[in-house]
Amino acid sequence: GSPAPLRTGQPAPAERSASSAQSTQRVFIKITPGAELKGLLPRLQALLQTHPGPAATLLFYERNQKVLALSDSYRIEPSEELFAAIESMLGAGTVRIR
């Protein structure tokens, strides 16, 4: 799937508009049992809040195979820098974008 072209003529609005919600990317972060044991979730949430953006964040708990969608306050701006920080915290291959 190629990324949808941005609407020409105007920069994307920074504020969250409900009309564009269906085209928003979603970021899946895998939470391994080890990450849960180490108590890394508060650190992850703090990290996410330093990269606010349009993409919804979902946590996939490997231990019980459950997906938890985080609230809108944890929407993020996907970037290689952010994903590298998440993977250094939680392990390689723990971040997926859809």
Side-chain angles (χ1 to χ4, degrees), residues 26-97:
R26 297 189 300 170
V27 177
F28 289 80
I29 302 173
K30 183 165 72 181
I31 307 298
T32 63
E36 286 189 77
L37 284 173
K38 290 184 203 153
L40 293 177
L41 285 174
R43 283 176 57 194
L44 174 64
Q45 291 173 324
L47 174 65
L48 295 176
Q49 290 190 304
T50 63
H51 292 78
T57 306
L58 294 92
L59 303 184
F60 172 71
Y61 287 86
E62 202 170 42
R63 181 172 51 83
N64 54 13
Q65 303 288 301
K66 286 204 168 129
V67 173
L68 173 72
L70 293 182
S71 70
D72 283 352
S73 59
Y74 294 105
R75 284 180 176 262
I76 55 172
E77 180 66 57
S79 68
E80 284 190 32
E81 176 199 2
L82 173 59
F83 291 175
I86 293 171
E87 292 199 341
S88 71
M89 187 187 295
L90 301 178
T94 48
V95 183
R96 269 257 161 88
I97 187 157

